[in-house]
Amino acid sequence: SSTMRRIIGNVVMQLGYSKEDFDEAEDGVKAWKLLTESQYDVILTDWNMPNMNGLELVQKTRSEGNHQKTPIIMITTEGGKNEVITALKAGVNNYIVKPFNAEV
């Protein structure tokens, strides 16, 4: 959601980055488009996104394109053990369950 993207953006800025240092996408399709057009040092994604969910984005990112080795952090409310295992098997490097703060 736009609210969650704003919260995550604010946390990223609390960590010392400026708004110009990162891009955001409202869904997985737009995120994939950004990933094909630019190079990123890290990818933050939610599991629950329209059009292409976060798990599908991770699987696509790990199987094709120029971000196959880029660290991916999934930030989501999907905190069940099965979801975490599924995400890690898909190629997520770390998994943060909402709510969270900059110290996480």
Side-chain angles (χ1 to χ4, degrees):
S1 71
S2 62
T3 301
M4 187 49 58
R5 288 194 311 275
R6 187 177 70 250
I7 291 168
I8 293 171
N10 286 338
V11 169
V12 169
M13 289 186 287
Q14 286 174 20
L15 295 172
Y17 297 92
S18 72
K19 180 68 178 120
E20 293 73 38
D21 291 331
F22 61 92
D23 294 316
E24 62 179 62
E26 62 267 8
D27 64 38
V29 172
K30 182 168 183 209
W32 177 251
K33 185 174 187 310
L34 289 170
L35 289 169
T36 61
E37 296 172 348
S38 299
Q39 189 63 40
Y40 297 94
D41 296 328
V42 66
I43 299 165
L44 307 177
T45 186
D46 195 335
W47 187 302
N48 298 306
M49 295 187 295
N51 302 318
M52 179 193 304
N53 70 36
L55 187 62
E56 293 166 335
L57 177 65
V58 170
Q59 292 167 335
K60 191 168 182 72
T61 302
R62 289 298 182 233
S63 66
E64 59 185 276
N66 57 352
H67 288 88
Q68 292 180 18
K69 302 289 187 196
T70 303
I72 300 175
I73 300 171
M74 186 166 280
I75 304 169
T76 184
T77 57
E78 302 294 334
K81 183 178 179 183
N82 288 339
E83 287 85 0
V84 173
I85 291 170
T86 299
L88 292 172
K89 283 183 177 177
V92 167
N93 298 88
N94 209 331
Y95 197 95
I96 299 172
V97 179
K98 299 174 200 171
F100 67 96
N101 57 41
E103 294 173 8
V104 174

